[in-house]
Amino acid sequence: MRNIFLLLLSALLLFQCKPADTPPTLILHNAKIWTGENESSFVQALAILDSLIIASGDSEAILAMAGEETELMDMGGKLITAGFNDAHIHFLSGSMGLTQVELSSAETFEAAIESTLQFIAENPDKEWITGRGWQYTFFESGLPDHESMKALNINRPVFIRAYDGHSAYANPKALELAGLDASSEFSGFGELVKDEAGQLTGALKENAMGLVGRLVPEDTFEDQLNGLRKGMEYAASLGITSVQNASGSENDLRLFQQLYENDELTVRYAAAFSVSESSTQDQLDRFAFLKDSVGKNNPWIKADAIKFMIDGVIEGHTGAMLQSYSDLPKEDPLAFGQLNFSIDRYQELVKRLDSKGFRLYTHAIGDRGVREVLDAYEKALSENNSQAKRHRVEHIETIHPDDISRFATLGVLPSMEPIHAEPGTTTVWSKAVGEERLPYSFAWRSLLDAEAKLVFSSDWPACISLNPIRGIHDAVNRRNPSGYPEGGWIPEERISIFEAMKAYTSMGAYSSFEENYKGLLKPGFLADLVVFSQDLFAVDAMDIHKTEVELTMVDGEIVFSKK
């Protein structure tokens, strides 16, 4: 199938708006198909030849193209759209997390503890109890401590990260194995949290997590392949047909290349290589070699992106802010957050890697973090005389209003996760940001109105749900599935269902320079699509979250079908 695609790719222009001479292998008809081109671009049927759409239109016209061996699928009037493109994800860690303590669905502290204890009981032979998913809102202080987590004071090490992956809890046994006690100190990006008496609480922030995390046994290559197989099944069940990794190493790339060689891939993958202040020239040269080796012609795998992290998160007071946090005294060491780079070094790396042809992603959550990234991109684009690189700023949870228009001006893409703004999970976040900055929180509407090209994603597993439909519900309503809060949280930043769907489909393809063959349902484009249980464009907005995926197709083949 993939070889057929590569042969056809050079002839895409032949498929523009006219039927091919060869009968289609598959026709989907009697459907409501959103092509994604604009708000009114709906058709009834698609003709697919192997992996490509070759024609679209009304059912009668498309059915007339059928040959003797063409498979016909009557879709019963169901809505079909392009498959979701999760443009910021950590697919390996998310997939491996499916075999660990998984707390993202826990809505209360009690539910999280119960789930963790059940996992411990069901896995008596696990040396380490690891996982992810607790929320900052579970704890009065915003962080766990030994008292609140006393049920996990067992004779096995427990190390569980927050839902966003920027903080973690280590039980007393894990701290003991790491050689950490009240006398231990940590300097750098993050914090080894202590109470007022100077005792360790078990909470660790950012790089301090490595003090314990380095002891967790590593998974083998085969373990990781098996984890990815589970992750791909999960993604397919949610209609995700493309993912863009937002961190990673050569090993991540090798895993997906192995699955590709095995003809096992059911999701298209774009790699990003993590670069830090300490990255060496040899590492950067290796990344450039890998980028050029993978090239641009494989529609299944890309490796042309670099991921930086300029700051941390609001909840841990490590997101870099222009003004001090509202819930900390100005003399506190974290009052203005933290930068994960010296600015000179970051700007140097941005300029160098821009000149090497990489697409650049930078995690920036605080408003100062966002500004520093825009400044660095602007400097590099000017000094390198670069154009249309489609560099991205990731997250942008807060932004100074003066910086909103800079995205369109610079051609930089805001890459954001609507699931991170789900009301009910933002209490600790809002307290830290303060009332004055709240109007510029997760500012999707403002960015779109300023003509920025908005890209959506989940940040899985650093989120409460991988499901794109839930994220779209949050983007359209600014209310959680339970309806909280009445009227919406900062409702001025709502966007339409069409804008949200575009951000989760065609704009992901645009961000990776794949907009000419992916992200729309039109002739010449890949047959990556989703069939839904209800019409997202017609149902009440507060019912969006009830929508289920009934079928997912990638490369013209069904990879998920609801039983």
Side-chain angles (χ1 to χ4, degrees), residues 150-166:
K150 59 187 176 186
L152 304 185
N153 188 2
I154 61 175
N155 199 34
R156 278 193 280 171
V158 176
F159 184 66
I160 302 178
R161 297 175 185 264
Y163 80 94
D164 63 3
H166 288 268

Side-chain angles (χ1 to χ4, degrees), residues 124-160:
D125 297 327
K126 272 195 175 288
E127 180 184 354
W128 277 73
I129 303 300
T130 58
R132 180 193 290 256
W134 55 261
Q135 296 184 35
Y136 297 95
T137 53
F138 290 168
F139 310 99
E140 185 177 352
S141 68
L143 289 170
D145 56 32
H146 291 322
E147 177 59 28
S148 60
M149 305 290 270
K150 59 187 176 186
L152 304 185
N153 188 2
I154 61 175
N155 199 34
R156 278 193 280 171
V158 176
F159 184 66
I160 302 178

Side-chain angles (χ1 to χ4, degrees), residues 58-112:
D58 63 74
S59 291
E60 182 178 358
I62 299 302
L63 285 169
M65 298 174 60
E68 291 183 1
E69 297 183 2
T70 301
E71 180 182 0
L72 306 180
M73 292 182 65
D74 186 331
M75 305 312 297
K78 297 288 187 180
L79 175 69
I80 300 177
T81 75
F84 292 122
N85 187 327
D86 194 318
H88 181 120
I89 198 168
H90 308 275
F91 202 79
L92 178 58
S93 59
S95 297
M96 298 309 295
L98 296 174
T99 65
Q100 302 170 356
V101 176
E102 206 291 301
L103 302 177
S104 63
S105 60
E107 296 184 358
T108 66
F109 169 75
E110 291 75 18

Side-chain angles (χ1 to χ4, degrees), residues 102-336:
E102 206 291 301
L103 302 177
S104 63
S105 60
E107 296 184 358
T108 66
F109 169 75
E110 291 75 18
I113 289 295
E114 181 180 354
S115 181
T116 305
L117 293 175
Q118 181 178 346
F119 182 91
I120 291 170
E122 293 174 352
N123 293 273
D125 297 327
K126 272 195 175 288
E127 180 184 354
W128 277 73
I129 303 300
T130 58
R132 180 193 290 256
W134 55 261
Q135 296 184 35
Y136 297 95
T137 53
F138 290 168
F139 310 99
E140 185 177 352
S141 68
L143 289 170
D145 56 32
H146 291 322
E147 177 59 28
S148 60
M149 305 290 270
K150 59 187 176 186
L152 304 185
N153 188 2
I154 61 175
N155 199 34
R156 278 193 280 171
V158 176
F159 184 66
I160 302 178
R161 297 175 185 264
Y163 80 94
D164 63 3
H166 288 268
S167 303
Y169 172 75
N171 76 341
K173 185 64 176 179
L175 294 176
E176 176 190 333
L177 292 174
L180 299 173
D181 57 28
S183 65
S184 301
E185 299 291 340
F186 176 79
S187 60
F189 182 60
E191 183 182 5
L192 180 61
V193 181
K194 298 181 180 181
D195 62 22
E196 292 181 354
Q199 299 297 312
L200 297 181
T201 67
L204 305 100
K205 300 179 183 179
E206 304 294 355
N207 291 352
M209 293 186 291
L211 298 172
V212 176
R214 62 184 175 81
L215 301 178
V216 177
E218 293 187 3
D219 298 304
T220 66
F221 193 80
E222 190 59 39
D223 288 338
Q224 293 174 331
L225 286 174
N226 287 331
L228 288 175
R229 292 179 180 111
K230 292 182 180 179
M232 289 192 298
E233 288 181 8
Y234 185 36
S237 74
L238 299 173
I240 297 169
T241 58
S242 292
V243 295
Q244 299 183 49
N245 228 39
S247 61
S249 64
E250 183 173 345
N251 180 68
D252 294 63
L253 175 61
R254 296 300 181 210
L255 286 163
F256 279 88
Q257 288 177 320
Q258 184 65 60
L259 291 169
Y260 174 75
E261 291 169 8
N262 295 349
D263 201 25
E264 291 184 82
L265 275 186
T266 58
V267 65
R268 303 184 193 278
Y269 174 77
F273 303 110
S274 298
V275 170
S276 69
E277 182 147 16
S278 60
S279 293
T280 66
Q281 186 59 50
D282 286 346
Q283 290 173 320
L284 301 181
D285 290 343
R286 181 62 179 173
F287 295 154
F289 171 79
L290 293 170
K291 171 177 69 70
D292 296 338
S293 297
V294 172
K296 300 179 180 180
N297 295 324
N298 187 339
W300 286 93
I301 296 179
K302 292 173 63 72
D304 63 344
I306 293 291
K307 168 67 181 303
F308 299 105
M309 196 171 93
I310 195 74
D311 66 355
V313 295
I314 300 297
E315 294 91 339
H317 300 106
T318 51
M321 306 299 284
L322 293 169
Q323 301 297 325
S324 63
Y325 280 103
S326 295
D327 60 345
L328 289 180
K330 290 187 177 181
E331 62 272 16
D332 190 287
L334 292 177
F336 290 83

